[in-house]
Amino acid sequence: MAPGKPIDEAMRENPHLEFQRLPSYSPQLNPIERFWKKLRRRATHNRLFDTLADLKASIRASLCYFQAVRHKVKSLIEGRPKRKTSK
């Protein structure tokens, strides 16, 4: 199955890129999923919000936290460092 005309054009314009299909459900292969998991845990886990405004405030506060600790977000997105195997 071809990716589609916009993708084909982008690939022609950027020959250094490679198109790869991911399995239909593969959160472990999608780096942003690790961040969403941490954000959900920090902002909404085991909490009941009285209003939508309270929920939004919690999410905003969590996003501000992650802005302050960008190195944590970067490590989440890049994945875990590979372990060196000893010979």
Side-chain angles (χ1 to χ4, degrees), residues 15-70:
H16 61 284
L17 297 179
E18 180 182 337
F19 183 80
Q20 293 185 349
R21 291 192 182 276
L22 295 177
S24 58
Y25 181 73
S26 55
Q28 73 281 7
L29 299 177
N30 191 350
I32 196 65
E33 293 294 336
R34 291 187 287 271
F35 174 71
W36 291 133
K37 184 177 180 179
K38 293 287 185 182
L39 178 64
R40 283 192 312 270
R41 173 143 325 255
R42 184 172 182 84
T44 65
H45 183 71
N46 205 23
R47 295 165 100 184
L48 176 63
F49 297 96
D50 292 328
T51 65
L52 183 58
D54 292 340
L55 171 63
K56 288 180 181 180
S58 179
I59 293 170
R60 281 190 193 105
S62 295
L63 288 171
C64 287
Y65 165 79
F66 283 115
Q67 272 188 311
V69 291
R70 291 177 188 215

Side-chain angles (χ1 to χ4, degrees), residues 73-86:
V73 175
K74 187 177 177 185
S75 68
L76 282 172
I77 291 173
E78 289 174 349
R80 296 179 185 206
K82 303 282 184 202
R83 288 187 177 180
K84 292 182 180 181
T85 56
S86 57

